[in-house]
Amino acid sequence: MSVELNHTIVHSRDNRESADFLAHILDLTVGTEWGPFIPVVLANGVTLDFATVPAESITVQHYAFLISEAEFDTAFGRIEEQGIAYYADPHRKHPGEINHNDGGRGVYFPDPSGHGLELITRPYGGWS
């Protein structure tokens, strides 16, 4: 049996705001609301289903997205245009910088609910 991740639920203060935010940064489409979920579908078919929950029940998570160099340029441009704080590292010790790990580029930034988002152009360890 082949095992694939199909979807995951992303807790948000406002599911529409968070779905729209990610879709805008990564040039993705926001799907049709289904029950309490607003989906954003990634290129590999995995769906991030955003659900509104009370802010105090949100456990901050980390979501990393592998994108092309051209997609990085576009997404990073949107991050800068919107004045979103960004970092070269997950511990936020290098603000206003990107990293060049594994010969690619990477950046960390928060989503509207405080989740840590990461964009990378090369998988860690050179895996492809």
Side-chain angles (χ1 to χ4, degrees), residues 66-69 72 98-106 119-127:
L66 178 62
I67 60 177
S68 71
E69 291 287 342
F72 187 94
I98 66 170
N99 67 58
H100 297 278
N101 298 338
D102 292 297
R105 292 184 289 166
L119 306 180
I120 55 174
T121 61
R122 295 269 177 96
Y124 291 122
W127 305 301

Side-chain angles (χ1 to χ4, degrees), residues 85-102:
Y86 63 89
Y87 307 85
D89 64 303
H91 304 292
R92 300 181 176 187
K93 292 183 180 179
H94 301 280
E97 299 177 31
I98 66 170
N99 67 58
H100 297 278
N101 298 338
D102 292 297

Side-chain angles (χ1 to χ4, degrees), residues 35-88:
F37 306 113
I38 297 180
V40 175
V41 181
L42 306 179
N44 59 350
V46 173
T47 304
L48 300 179
D49 295 335
F50 290 88
T52 300
V53 300
E56 63 274 6
S57 68
I58 295 174
T59 300
V60 173
Q61 300 291 316
H62 175 82
Y63 299 93
F65 302 92
L66 178 62
I67 60 177
S68 71
E69 291 287 342
E71 290 165 330
F72 187 94
D73 290 337
T74 301
F76 186 63
R78 289 178 178 144
I79 291 166
E80 289 186 307
E81 285 170 12
Q82 291 186 23
I84 299 166
Y86 63 89
Y87 307 85

Side-chain angles (χ1 to χ4, degrees), residues 4-9 37 45-49:
E4 297 180 4
L5 179 63
N6 177 265
H7 70 277
T8 193
I9 297 170
F37 306 113
V46 173
T47 304
L48 300 179
D49 295 335

